[in-house]
Amino acid sequence: MKALESEVPDAHFTVDKQNVSLWPQEPPRKTGPCLGLGRCLTVRAAVVLLTLLLVASVLLQAILYPWFMGTISDIKTSAQLLQGRVDNVSTLRSEIKRNSGGVEAAGVQVQMVNASLDHVHSQIRRLETSVKEADARLQMLTSRWEEVAKLNAQIPELKRDLDKASALNAKVRELQSGLGNISKMLKQQNDILQMISRGWKYFRGNFYYFSLIKKTWYSAQQFCLSRDSHLTSVTSESEQEFLYKMTGGLTYWIGLTKAGSEGEWYWVDDTPFDKVQSTRFWIPGEPNNAENNEHCANIKKSSLQSWNDVSCDNALLFICKRPYVPSEP
């Protein structure tokens, strides 16, 4: 019996530096002799099994406790991270609410941009159509390039022909101009001959009519007006020479008169009166305005100095003058 008691081990071990015992270290009280050897063995086996289970439990606790604690720490960290993300989500939600108006405005702008893009697309389609048309025209022009090259090769020859034609045209124009001048001269000669046949004389672009009857100065001017002319004016020494030679020393009225005794001499056909030049045509001592009644002039002598002033009421021969105007073709 004592041997059996001495064989029972004490269930005593250390966990986390703490002594753990299944029962006090002192041996259990003796309850009496085992009821049999088999029963004692069963009890011991049960005790050993419980001891092993306890040891295993403690070992598992010693192994799993740090892992469990680390897992809990990780869970706390993850929870804190999740809480931070939740806060961030809340912040983002508030920002999304604030920006919702901007998003709507952006949507309107996107619609406008889409409309602009549609317009641009239509423009691009039109441009593509224009490009196709331009390509067709370019192909047509390219097909005609050989013809243009042939024409370019013919340009020098055409230029020579053109130069010849230009020279011929110049000669033709020269001939036409000469013919035109001849035609004008013939026409002018015809006009002059017709006027001469009516009793007019021609001198340097003017016609002169030397009357065969006598009239007062005013009646003579009226007669000239009825023939589309005026009493003659004298504008040069050559014209004065022509007139006095044609008069042959007879007295003829000319278109020089003045208004009253103190008036200035003037030509009745509005030709400007050259007082300085006219001094060479007056007879010396004229005009003298005898009896304050000599207001009209005439040609009296067949010489350069042949003008004389007399009364406008005298009846004299007269000279009408009209410029040459080409007749209508």
Side-chain angles (χ1 to χ4, degrees):
M1 194 66 159
K2 291 182 181 180
L4 291 171
E5 291 176 358
S6 62
E7 290 177 0
V8 176
D10 294 333
H12 181 78
F13 53 87
T14 303
V15 176
D16 291 337
K17 299 180 181 182
Q18 296 181 0
N19 293 325
V20 177
S21 299
L22 295 177
W23 52 73
Q25 294 182 4
E26 61 273 11
R29 293 177 299 176
K30 297 179 179 180
T31 58
C34 294
L35 297 179
L37 180 58
R39 188 175 182 178
C40 290
L41 290 174
T42 299
V43 171
R44 288 183 180 182
V47 169
V48 171
L49 181 59
L50 290 174
T51 302
L52 291 174
L53 290 174
L54 181 60
V55 170
S57 176
V58 172
L59 289 175
L60 287 173
Q61 183 179 1
I63 293 171
L64 295 176
Y65 180 77
W67 174 81
F68 182 72
M69 294 303 291
T71 300
I72 291 173
S73 178
D74 292 338
I75 290 171
K76 290 181 178 180
T77 303
S78 298
Q80 292 176 356
L81 291 174
L82 289 173
Q83 183 63 37
R85 290 179 181 178
V86 168
D87 295 338
N88 290 335
V89 169
S90 299
T91 303
L92 289 174
R93 183 180 299 172
S94 61
E95 290 180 357
I96 288 171
K97 289 181 180 179
R98 287 194 302 270
N99 294 330
S100 61
V103 171
E104 293 178 358
V108 174
Q109 292 181 356
V110 168
Q111 292 177 357
M112 295 175 63
V113 169
N114 289 333
S116 299
L117 288 175
D118 293 337
H119 180 69
V120 170
H121 289 159
S122 64
Q123 293 287 340
I124 289 173
R125 286 192 292 271
R126 285 197 292 270
L127 288 174
E128 289 176 350
T129 303
S130 299
V131 168
K132 290 180 181 178
E133 294 177 355
D135 289 337
R137 293 179 181 177
L138 181 61
Q139 291 177 0
M140 184 182 297
L141 291 173
T142 303
S143 64
R144 295 179 178 177
W145 180 253
E146 294 180 357
E147 297 178 3
V148 174
K150 292 179 180 178
L151 292 175
N152 287 333
Q154 295 175 359
I155 285 176
E157 184 177 356
L158 293 173
K159 187 175 181 181
R160 288 192 295 271
D161 294 339
L162 181 62
D163 292 338
K164 293 179 181 179
S166 298
L168 291 175
N169 287 332
K171 290 181 180 179
V172 169
R173 286 194 296 269
E174 184 178 354
L175 291 174
Q176 289 177 344
S177 177
L179 291 174
N181 293 331
I182 292 173
S183 177
K184 289 180 181 178
M185 291 176 63
L186 291 174
K187 189 174 183 303
Q188 182 178 2
Q189 288 180 0
N190 184 54
D191 294 338
I192 293 173
L193 289 174
Q194 288 185 5
M195 292 295 292
I196 290 174
S197 67
R198 298 173 188 171
W200 295 77
K201 306 296 181 182
Y202 180 77
F203 178 75
R204 294 187 179 181
N206 293 293
F207 293 105
Y208 300 87
Y209 177 78
F210 295 83
S211 73
L212 300 177
I213 59 174
K214 297 181 179 181
K215 292 181 177 289
T216 64
W217 189 93
Y218 296 104
S219 296
Q221 171 62 7
Q222 290 300 317
F223 179 89
C224 292
L225 289 174
S226 68
R227 296 332 190 247
D228 297 325
S229 60
H230 294 275
L231 285 174
T232 187
S233 58
V234 182
T235 59
S236 65
E237 187 172 323
S238 61
E239 187 175 19
Q240 168 70 1
E241 183 178 358
F242 166 76
L243 292 175
Y244 76 72
K245 286 182 178 180
M246 291 298 298
T247 60
L250 299 177
T251 304
Y252 284 81
W253 286 122
I254 60 176
L256 187 63
T257 185
K258 66 176 181 177
S261 300
E262 304 299 329
E264 298 291 334
W265 292 97
Y266 66 91
W267 294 110
V268 72
D269 63 358
D270 295 329
T271 298
F273 178 71
D274 189 342
K275 186 176 182 179
V276 175
Q277 182 190 51
S278 299
T279 56
R280 294 178 296 170
F281 303 150
W282 289 101
I283 295 173
E286 301 293 341
N288 57 10
N289 193 22
E291 299 179 0
N292 292 325
N293 192 31
E294 296 182 339
H295 302 153
C296 295
N298 57 35
I299 292 179
K300 187 176 181 180
K301 298 171 60 176
S302 181
S303 64
L304 187 65
Q305 293 179 315
S306 59
W307 291 1
N308 179 43
D309 62 334
V310 294
S311 172
C312 298
D313 296 328
N314 291 349
L316 302 175
L317 299 172
F318 55 91
I319 306 171
C320 296
K321 174 183 176 181
R322 61 181 289 183
Y324 167 69
V325 178
S327 61
E328 294 295 330

